[in-house]
Amino acid sequence: MKEVIVLIGNYGSGKTELALNFAFQAANEGKKVELLDLDMVNTYFRLTDRGNLIKMKEIRLVSPNFVHSSVETLSLPAEVASAFALDWDTVIFDVGGDPAGATALGRYHEDFAALPEGSLKVLNVVNTRRPMAGTPDKLLSLMEGMERHSRQKVTGFINNTNLARMASADDLRDGYEIIAEASRRSGVPVLYTSGRPDLLAEFMAEERDPRFVGAPMPIETYMHRDWETFTREGL
Amino acid sequence: MALTLMKGSEAIAEAAIRAGCRYFFGYPITPQTEIPEYMSERMPEIGGCFLQAESEVGAINMVYGAAGTGERVLTSSSSPGVSLKQEGISYIAGAQLPCVIMNVMRGGPGLGSIQAGQGDYFQATKGGGHGDYHLVVFAPASVQESIDIMSVAFDTADKYQCPVMVVADGMICQMMEPVVLPEMKEYKVDLEKKPWAANGHGFSKPAGRSIINSMYITTEALSEHNEKLQAIYREIEANEVRFEAYNMENAEIIVTAFGTVARIAKSAIDDLKEEGVNIGMIRPITLWPFPYKELHDAAMAPGVKAVLDVELNAGQMLEDVKLAINGDKPVDFFGHYGSQMPTPEEIKEKLLSMREVL
């Protein structure tokens, strides 16, 4: 059965990072993978920035029209239909942050609805170190907005709490508390906890309610947004 | 202290709020649209006002109106949008109103690009609008410094009753760094301290104004008004110069640079230090008032052979650097335009090539 993963979440929560990690993991297992860059809001730091790397892994990448042309008004490409029409093992949608970004998904709600039962995962990527996601209230109100605009229901949280180059296991611990509360209130399970392998191992070694931890997902960092990468590669 | 992972634009907006800003008027333009976007979310939460104007011209005139009440007001835009605001900025300077204007510079001229730029140095420091006026211009070089500068910018605007500009670029606004935010400051207009503020009740104080404008019809009145403004500018020049001196001990060459380019130059300087070559840097934090005397003094230190100005433009601050050095040492320039960010390697190479002939 085709597996369709939709990643939504606040700006800077790590959606693109996770999209790459999910895709590379699937490709390494020999699966046929398609990645869709559906961020129609933010011009910078997008999946297509890693286009060469994605193609090297023999993953199909779909990008908005006019991407990387310094044009700010992107438009959805017709090729998005290939996600539903063609025979992939894994399809991953990387959507823009916040409700405005999630709007891009709404147009495909009939296609999503036609997918076989159990093949769609809509994952809300959360980094509680980001300003608009630091409390259960903020998280839930953001999630409600994204659900409404995308015409989808979130099926699981990903705790991806980090402080970029200053990340520590404490970030995951704090994220756990806030997301657990949001999960209790909304009934949406936590499906993954993700982070740098060493930090994740430290976090996973401790006793916690597994309902709010989910599967551990060690990730490699491809999308640097820090100063050092900027000076090398620019925006 | 609690660290938050913030994009430069979000950090600037939050820092303004924490400095007491409760009024924001703006219009979207890349790469600063996250500032109004963040404000649209945050201002209603704290009882402030976010308003997306019909244009940049509308926004700056709303700033004029709100600033006239003594409140702390911010607008932000990027290069082409800041050009549109120039008439309003001149009026605000003429009417002696405090406010902060953010320019997230991009590549120009014209529509240019949406990548980082520094081509608005002349516009910011030499008066982009008409008439004899100055803006105090701050140029932060990191997300954290942008945060710290926002409260200084509002305080400076209030102290001298003048518009203040903060210039950043697409790099500072789009990158994400862990930062520390200051405590929230509640700002209440104190009519004792701002007797000029219009409060809707006529002349409430002896010095009060019920009409705020920048019109002085007779030549005598206009001349007197300008004299007053110039006296304030001299006071700002005497008191508000800010700069960072980096690695100045035994420096052979002094680099001058501002904003993100200074941060890149710093990487080059650090690399060269490891190779046994000492290069210093004077980084103006205020572009106006410019640290003329401080730069000249630094360049006169024994051992300093030359000055290299590095910018992401065709050499605009270079003119001020040359004025500061006044022919006493050779001044060279390295820059890119068209938003092509100089790399630490290129700056290193330039410095090493200069060193060979000095």
Side-chain angles (χ1 to χ4, degrees), chain B residues 198-217:
Chain B
N199 63 5
H201 301 290
F203 292 95
S204 55
K205 303 277 175 223
R209 304 192 266 189
S210 58
I211 297 171
I212 290 180
N213 69 16
S214 56
M215 187 168 70
Y216 296 83
I217 292 289

Side-chain angles (χ1 to χ4, degrees), chain B residues 141-218:
Chain B
S142 68
V143 177
Q144 185 65 54
E145 192 177 36
S146 307
I147 291 175
D148 302 340
I149 287 241
M150 287 316 281
S151 71
V152 178
F154 278 104
D155 289 347
T156 308
D158 274 352
K159 184 172 172 193
Y160 298 101
Q161 230 181 294
C162 69
V164 168
M165 183 171 274
V166 179
V167 293
D169 59 47
M171 286 222 350
I172 288 179
C173 278
Q174 294 297 329
M175 77 171 131
M176 250 184 209
E177 294 189 319
V179 292
V180 179
L181 290 163
E183 289 297 307
M184 179 72 88
K185 186 164 163 182
E186 285 306 327
Y187 183 79
K188 282 265 169 293
V189 180
D190 180 350
L191 289 173
E192 296 290 325
K193 284 189 186 147
K194 291 185 169 176
W196 50 264
N199 63 5
H201 301 290
F203 292 95
S204 55
K205 303 277 175 223
R209 304 192 266 189
S210 58
I211 297 171
I212 290 180
N213 69 16
S214 56
M215 187 168 70
Y216 296 83
I217 292 289
T218 67

Side-chain angles (χ1 to χ4, degrees), chain A residues 172-173 176-177 180 184 200-214:
Chain A
L172 290 173
R173 292 183 188 112
Y176 169 87
E177 298 296 337
R184 267 184 225 109
L200 187 63
E202 188 184 331
F203 172 82
M204 292 304 294
E206 299 155 0
E207 187 94 352
R208 273 190 190 86
D209 188 337
R211 287 179 303 153
F212 305 125
V213 176

Side-chain angles (χ1 to χ4, degrees), chain B residues 235-294:
Chain B
E235 206 186 320
I236 295 173
E237 284 173 331
N239 299 327
E240 303 301 333
V241 169
R242 283 174 187 247
F243 67 101
E244 181 196 3
Y246 185 70
N247 198 43
M248 295 302 290
E249 209 174 316
N250 302 321
E252 294 174 42
I253 299 172
I254 293 176
V255 170
T256 52
F258 71 96
T260 37
V261 174
R263 203 161 158 184
I264 295 168
K266 226 179 216 181
S267 304
I269 291 170
D270 291 345
D271 284 358
L272 285 171
K273 198 181 171 87
E274 275 179 29
E275 294 166 25
V277 180
N278 262 335
I279 308 290
M281 178 161 71
I282 297 286
R283 172 174 74 90
I285 298 171
T286 49
L287 302 184
W288 194 89
F290 188 83
Y292 289 110
K293 185 182 177 303
E294 294 76 4

